[in-house]
Amino acid sequence: METKYELDREKLQLNVTREFVADINKVWRAWTEAEMLDQWWGPQPWYVITKFMYFSEEGKWLYSMNGPAGEKHWSVMEYLEIKPEEFFSSNHSFCDEHGFVIDKLKTPLWEISFARSGNSTMVKVQITYQREEDLDTILEMGFKEGFAMGHSQLDELLKTI
């Protein structure tokens, strides 16, 4: 399967779609459970370590993205709305190791929806930025390539659960 991207500069949105050959329950769990996210979120050779995760409305996922040379970058997802196996939204920010957001203006809104599609699950991610320069920066950082690599890793994980 291929990760597809659509850029809407007028709305400052990056829309991502990916079909996963797995039941919606498995795909949902892979996006909402720390033990599973740690196995696929982020492009290799980078990897994620969750400090804590409370997947609930007003809950948070605090994690570090760790690089092969010992780099460590912290991020926090602050969950806003959750409809099990259907949808969740969150603010996703760069932060320090305590979850303190570095620049609230650079925080995009993530809206992630899940839908059954035969024996597969379609996942749609809409990321809305507040400023065009932040959208450009994330694209320049290789977000599209890295997210697609993470999705390929998720494909492999879904075969094992």
Side-chain angles (χ1 to χ4, degrees), residues 43-94:
Q44 292 181 350
W46 291 76
Y47 61 95
V48 163
I49 298 175
T50 295
K51 185 168 183 180
F52 66 79
M53 181 179 200
Y54 305 108
F55 185 72
S56 62
E57 292 181 356
E58 298 183 22
K60 294 180 181 182
W61 175 36
L62 178 61
Y63 66 92
S64 60
M65 182 76 68
N66 305 276
E71 307 95 327
K72 189 175 278 201
H73 303 282
W74 290 92
S75 293
V76 63
M77 272 205 179
E78 299 171 292
Y79 298 106
L80 305 170
E81 181 181 359
I82 298 171
K83 296 177 184 174
E85 294 188 3
E86 189 178 319
F87 172 86
F88 70 88
S89 61
S90 64
N91 290 320
H92 193 182
S93 307
F94 293 113

Side-chain angles (χ1 to χ4, degrees), residues 119-133:
N119 65 341
S120 297
T121 301
M122 181 62 71
V123 177
K124 295 182 180 180
V125 180
Q126 182 177 78
I127 309 168
T128 305
Y129 290 84
Q130 297 177 50
R131 305 180 308 192
E132 188 171 13
E133 56 265 29

